[in-house]
Amino acid sequence: MRARRASQTRRTLVDTSAYFALLDADDANHAPALTIRDRLIAEGSHLFTTSFVLAETHALLLNRLSHEIATRFLRAMEDSPTTLVWVTPADVHRAKAIIYQYTDKDFSLTDATSFAVMERMRVPAAFTFDRHFAQYGLTVLTATS
């Protein structure tokens, strides 16, 4: 089997819900998250996350699991092959426009900045268990897709 060319490599944004599911063995999405992670690694996918997701994940781990796990996550991200994309003022502006447009949805600012970054960088898929990504019309990876 030939390796995928860079243009064929899956580009995927990793969301807070995916990180949490991977790190909390008691999370309902833990097993599917492991399956998706392993598939993305095997495919040589190019993974992205945002500075807002990094901060949100750290806060969630700190509040729901422990200081140790939250700190370990931050340290692991320093050496991770996942590309950290800093949310720009233009991304925040676009995110607010998304929130204001979709008054029937409860998109958080972090979610909406993820949507804006995905649009800007043309990242077609998200590794997430957050329904908002699908509501916005993005491709959400599942354990079977």
Side-chain angles (χ1 to χ4, degrees):
M1 180 188 295
R2 291 174 30 180
R4 289 182 180 209
R5 286 187 259 158
S7 63
Q8 295 175 317
T9 299
R10 183 185 296 216
R11 294 164 44 92
T12 305
L13 181 121
V14 184
D15 180 48
T16 301
S17 60
Y19 285 124
F20 190 81
L22 287 168
L23 293 168
D24 183 3
D26 295 329
D27 188 275
N29 292 310
H30 182 68
L34 294 174
T35 299
I36 294 166
R37 180 205 59 195
D38 292 348
R39 186 177 69 243
L40 289 170
I41 291 169
E43 291 175 349
S45 296
H46 190 163
L47 303 178
F48 297 84
T49 199
T50 72
S51 51
F52 278 34
V53 167
L54 181 74
E56 181 180 65
T57 302
H58 177 259
L60 184 64
L61 294 170
L62 193 60
N63 288 306
R64 292 213 186 148
L65 296 181
S66 71
H67 182 275
E68 178 185 348
I69 292 170
T71 301
R72 223 177 334 162
F73 167 75
L74 285 180
R75 288 182 192 220
M77 290 302 294
E78 291 175 12
D79 298 321
S80 172
T82 301
T83 300
L84 178 63
V85 178
W86 289 90
V87 173
T88 67
D91 295 327
V92 174
H93 181 77
R94 173 69 183 128
K96 288 185 206 176
I98 291 168
I99 290 168
Y100 301 155
Q101 177 182 354
Y102 293 90
T103 57
D104 62 328
K105 306 288 185 236
D106 58 347
F107 299 149
S108 71
L109 185 59
T110 298
D111 289 345
T113 58
S114 291
F115 307 161
V117 166
M118 290 176 75
E119 289 172 359
R120 172 169 58 90
M121 298 189 64
R122 294 182 177 89
V123 175
F127 176 11
T128 184
F129 298 98
D130 183 336
R131 74 186 188 287
H132 296 122
F133 285 75
Q135 286 177 345
Y136 188 65
L138 298 167
T139 299
V140 173
L141 303 182
T142 66
T144 59
S145 69

